[in-house]
Amino acid sequence: MATRTLRIAMNGITGRMGYRQHLVRSILPIRDQGGITLPDGTTVQVEPVLIGRNAEKVEALAKQHGVEHWTTDLDAAIADEATDIVFDASMTSLRADTLTRAMKAGKHVYTEKPTAETLHEAVELARLREETGVTAGVVHDKLYLPGLVKLRRLVDEGFFGRILSLRGEFGYWVFEGEHQPAQRPSWNYRKQDGGGMTVDMFCHWNYVLEGVIGTVRTVSAQTATHIPVRWDERGEPYDATADDAAYGIFGMETPAGDPVVAQINSSWAVRVHRDELVEFQVDGTHGSAVAGLFSCVAQQRAHTPKPVWNPDLPTTERFREQWLDVPANAELPNGFRAQWEEFLADVALGRPHRFDLLSAARGVQLAELGLRSSDEGRRLDVPAIAL
């Protein structure tokens, strides 16, 4: 059978997500297993080219992982005729320009989120993809993770009956950096550098809500900067100008036309008292389920207990024990790798990727409207985007 190699220029590979999830847990395992196999038996192998601003770091990573090609010259990598795909995991403020230049050069693109700082830029990227005809993919990793795969299966099987609501809790304590190093880069907390919880996470919540429930019609949000001063990578204090928490209520509609209320709290200033760093509870007339990134438990209507409110007596019921695990019924790989494999197949077969730049634009739109809703103190409609 034939073998084809796709050369991937991987920009921002020294960052946490670019390195851990995309290089180490996705592209390198795909390379080391001999690539992916298409339905006709063709093998598609990958050849990464590592790109970053710090030559010493990039070269060290290349040697560590047996990657032959690396560079600090993104422009040259985009212009290189041997480059098939440009992947971007760099700073949000630089992304739209990188993706624009790549698509104009005829390269397929795969990118982290958000794709741009403004809705206008995000829509222009989607339009450019239409004009150039390249295959474009945007990381929608959470939909590929076991917990949400199970949750979506329950939706597809009609387990919930009529869906009523979704509640999500996301976040953890990110150290200020004064006494213990922060787990996230300092630019995340500077608005002028493209940071902020709403900008970062509402694009995730948009595709999660679309992928599990349906269409987002309205948004009402309250943002906050709970920690106003943080310490950067050099140990210097700086003003946190971006929001580190966002509390959103989303009016939704299922494909059947049923209204659903979704609430998602997101915070980098919260201590975790739940099983996973993010959890979603879906309640319906026939049953409920709680899903994290890996686990999912459910409770059917027939198995629902009848709690009685009595503030004079301690609660004796063990509510968590009344839920049943939802089995995977399949071997589910790393979510980032699973989407990479799907995207690579789409590139090789010359077809669109299902999570494209238009999907990403809707995420940027929701973040933009969320910030505006918080500023104006009112609920806003989420209009459909037309290219």
Side-chain angles (χ1 to χ4, degrees):
M1 291 294 179
T3 298
R4 177 182 176 185
T5 298
L6 293 175
R7 195 175 199 188
I8 308 171
M10 304 189 71
N11 184 41
I13 212 63
T14 57
R16 180 175 58 91
M17 293 297 292
Y19 175 67
R20 293 179 59 190
Q21 296 295 352
H22 293 286
L23 180 64
V24 174
R25 298 182 181 176
S26 299
I27 293 302
L28 293 181
I30 292 172
R31 179 197 67 177
D32 295 342
Q33 77 173 8
I36 64 171
T37 304
L38 300 181
D40 66 358
T42 299
T43 297
V44 178
Q45 181 57 287
V46 293
E47 181 183 12
V49 179
L50 308 189
I51 305 172
R53 291 175 293 179
N54 187 313
E56 185 178 346
K57 286 184 179 180
V58 179
E59 182 180 19
L61 289 179
K63 289 181 178 179
Q64 178 183 349
H65 295 290
V67 175
E68 181 179 357
H69 303 288
W70 65 272
T71 182
T72 59
D73 192 339
L74 175 60
D75 291 338
I78 291 175
D80 191 341
E81 291 185 359
T83 299
D84 297 294
I85 299 168
V86 174
F87 166 70
D88 189 72
S90 63
M91 292 175 59
T92 301
S93 58
L94 305 175
R95 184 161 296 136
D97 180 64
T98 298
L99 298 178
T100 296
R101 289 186 288 120
M103 286 190 286
K104 285 184 175 180
K107 311 302 183 185
H108 306 291
V109 295
Y110 190 64
T111 179
E112 271 290 350
K113 306 161 301 301
T115 51
E117 292 187 287
T118 68
L119 175 59
H120 174 75
E121 288 180 315
V123 172
E124 287 302 308
L125 288 173
R127 286 177 177 151
L128 183 58
R129 194 224 68 82
E130 292 280 314
E131 294 171 7
T132 59
V134 301
T135 299
V138 181
V139 179
H140 283 30
D141 56 288
K142 291 176 178 55
L143 293 180
Y144 291 80
L145 293 170
L148 289 187
V149 169
K150 297 171 188 177
L151 187 63
R152 179 66 216 188
R153 191 176 78 228
L154 293 177
V155 173
D156 292 340
E157 293 175 351
F159 170 83
F160 296 102
R162 182 168 59 86
I163 295 176
L164 309 175
S165 63
L166 176 146
R167 290 186 291 115
E169 289 286 341
F170 164 79
Y172 48 94
W173 188 268
V174 176
F175 287 97
E176 298 92 326
E178 181 181 14
H179 303 295
Q180 295 191 53
Q183 309 98 297
R184 299 184 65 88
S186 60
W187 71 264
N188 282 178
Y189 303 94
R190 291 190 293 266
K191 185 177 182 180
Q192 63 271 28
D193 291 334
M197 175 63 83
T198 308
V199 170
D200 190 2
M201 295 309 301
F202 271 37
C203 57
H204 283 278
W205 303 151
N206 186 75
Y207 75 71
V208 167
L209 293 173
E210 286 185 346
V212 175
I213 302 294
T215 304
V216 181
R217 299 297 189 190
T218 65
V219 57
S220 177
Q222 176 67 58
T223 68
T225 305
H226 291 307
I227 309 296
V229 177
R230 292 180 179 270
W231 280 255
D232 63 19
E233 291 78 4
R234 299 171 300 173
E236 298 293 332
Y238 68 95
D239 292 332
T241 54
D243 53 304
D244 57 18
Y247 309 93
I249 300 176
F250 309 95
M252 300 194 63
E253 185 177 306
T254 69
D258 295 323
V260 175
V261 177
Q263 309 168 69
I264 304 180
N265 297 326
S266 313
S267 177
W268 288 316
V270 63
R271 293 175 176 87
V272 181
H273 189 266
R274 51 186 179 274
D275 293 333
E276 300 195 46
L277 297 185
V278 63
E279 288 185 345
F280 302 97
Q281 177 164 335
V282 175
D283 290 299
T285 54
H286 292 175
S288 298
V290 178
L293 298 182
F294 299 95
S295 67
C296 183
V297 295
Q299 187 174 86
Q300 294 179 326
R301 178 167 57 181
H303 296 151
T304 302
K306 191 176 184 180
V308 177
W309 173 258
N310 188 342
D312 298 321
L313 295 174
T315 301
T316 58
E317 290 189 83
R318 297 294 180 261
F319 294 110
R320 288 177 179 267
E321 297 174 4
Q322 297 166 351
W323 296 66
L324 297 176
D325 285 326
V326 177
N329 289 345
E331 184 176 345
L332 300 175
N334 174 279
F336 288 87
R337 177 177 172 179
Q339 190 178 358
W340 261 111
E341 292 185 349
E342 182 180 324
F343 173 74
L344 292 170
D346 291 337
V347 169
L349 294 170
R351 64 191 182 193
H353 187 62
R354 58 178 172 149
F355 300 125
D356 60 7
L357 291 168
L358 182 57
S359 174
R362 293 195 295 272
V364 174
Q365 177 191 43
L366 190 63
E368 208 169 83
L369 290 172
L371 290 170
R372 184 178 147 203
S373 169
S374 181
D375 289 342
E376 298 178 4
R378 64 190 183 100
R379 184 176 62 189
L380 298 175
D381 291 332
V382 180
I385 298 175
L387 297 181

